[in-house]
Amino acid sequence: MLSIGPVQLKTNLLLAPIAGYCDLAFRTVCRELGGVGLACTDLLSPQGLLRGTATSLDLAQTNDFDKPVGMQLYGADPDIMAQGALWAVQHGATVVDINMGCPVDKVTKKNGGSKLLCNPDSATDIARACARVLEPFGVPLTCKMRLGWFDGQPVAEWLAPRLIDAGAKAITIHGRTTEQKFQGVVSHEGIARVVEAVGNHCRSAGFTVPVIGNGDVREPGDVFTMINKTGCAGVMIGRGALSTPWLF
């Protein structure tokens, strides 16, 4: 079992916010097959949600069976992201996540996604603004990120503690850099460094925040490998679930 702030999940396996795939229908299939602790929506534009555009509203669709559900927002403006977080709460989100890991140009060129790893102050401001809005509702904020932008220049291991201080209740770390995109092999060592950094930071402050590992999970054994090699508290499964939605 895994707790994210006040939210208790039934398993420590999470369905990732897979762009272009993770709609309500796919989340429902995975849930019906069992084992999903939390499922996330596709990437959501807060501007689209606030304007009520058809595409954004479609991506944000949920229902009573689709719980607990995380709604993931992407963007670079703290105020707009906070407004989007409030919209998400009002429309059924159990958890709100900030995307700090998408390497796709159309997201990073607008300073969102993994580009936030190059702007740690902006990333922290967004987390703080969203956490402040969510706190009265008891809805936890989470952040999903990569190891860093460039290979050999880790960011997540020192940014994650800052995001926790800003209000994040869980950190999900994809074990690749933006430069890698989806090439190469996931770095368990990189994820382990984030787990260690968060653990040390939280112990000194007297609380715990889970780190969730992500990347290259295609079969059950990969889950055990991820946990054993990194010490992470949970595993988020992305592309591996597309061909094997019963993986959970």
Side-chain angles (χ1 to χ4, degrees):
M1 299 180 72
L2 179 69
S3 293
I4 300 176
V7 177
Q8 177 75 58
L9 307 183
K10 291 184 178 180
T11 80
N12 64 343
L13 302 178
L14 296 79
L15 174 61
I18 315 166
Y21 295 96
C22 208
D23 57 10
L24 177 59
F26 182 67
R27 298 197 304 273
T28 298
V29 168
C30 291
R31 290 184 188 278
E32 287 178 337
L33 292 167
V36 177
L38 176 75
C40 297
T41 66
D42 200 326
L43 288 69
L44 302 174
S45 163
Q47 293 95 332
L49 296 175
L50 296 169
R51 289 197 300 265
T53 61
T55 299
S56 294
L57 296 180
D58 185 55
L59 292 176
Q61 279 191 58
T62 186
N63 57 31
D64 290 341
F65 180 69
D66 185 38
K67 295 292 185 292
V69 64
M71 291 191 182
Q72 188 186 69
L73 306 175
Y74 71 92
D77 184 290
D79 291 335
I80 293 176
M81 290 287 280
Q83 292 177 48
L86 179 59
W87 186 100
V89 171
Q90 294 171 339
H91 291 81
T94 313
V95 172
V96 174
D97 185 74
I98 299 174
N99 184 313
M100 299 185 183
C102 181
V104 177
D105 285 348
K106 71 176 184 179
V107 174
T108 59
K109 285 182 177 178
K110 296 180 180 179
N111 296 319
S114 61
K115 191 60 179 290
L116 288 173
L117 301 176
C118 301
N119 299 288
D121 290 341
S122 178
T124 305
D125 288 344
I126 290 170
R128 185 176 296 109
C130 291
R132 188 180 299 122
V133 165
L134 296 174
E135 185 176 10
F137 300 93
V139 173
L141 175 75
T142 62
C143 298
K144 185 175 187 294
M145 65 179 75
R146 286 178 171 244
L147 297 175
W149 183 279
F150 298 108
D151 296 349
Q153 296 184 25
V155 173
E157 59 198 68
W158 57 263
L159 178 56
R162 289 182 57 174
L163 297 174
I164 290 167
D165 287 343
K169 302 301 182 185
I171 300 291
T172 301
I173 179 72
H174 181 99
R176 287 183 175 85
T177 62
T178 300
E179 200 168 42
Q180 286 178 282
K181 294 195 174 177
F182 294 100
Q183 303 302 312
V185 179
V186 68
S187 172
H188 292 123
E189 295 79 6
I191 297 173
R193 287 195 298 270
V194 178
V195 171
E196 181 179 17
V198 168
N200 290 338
H201 180 75
C202 291
R203 275 192 295 274
S204 65
F207 57 85
T208 59
V209 170
V211 175
I212 298 156
N214 173 233
D216 289 357
V217 177
R218 300 183 181 90
E219 57 186 42
D222 296 334
V223 172
F224 294 105
T225 298
M226 175 71 77
I227 292 173
N228 290 333
K229 287 191 172 183
T230 70
C232 64
V235 176
M236 180 174 279
I237 302 172
R239 292 173 296 163
L242 297 179
S243 61
T244 318
W246 54 88
L247 179 57
F248 300 92

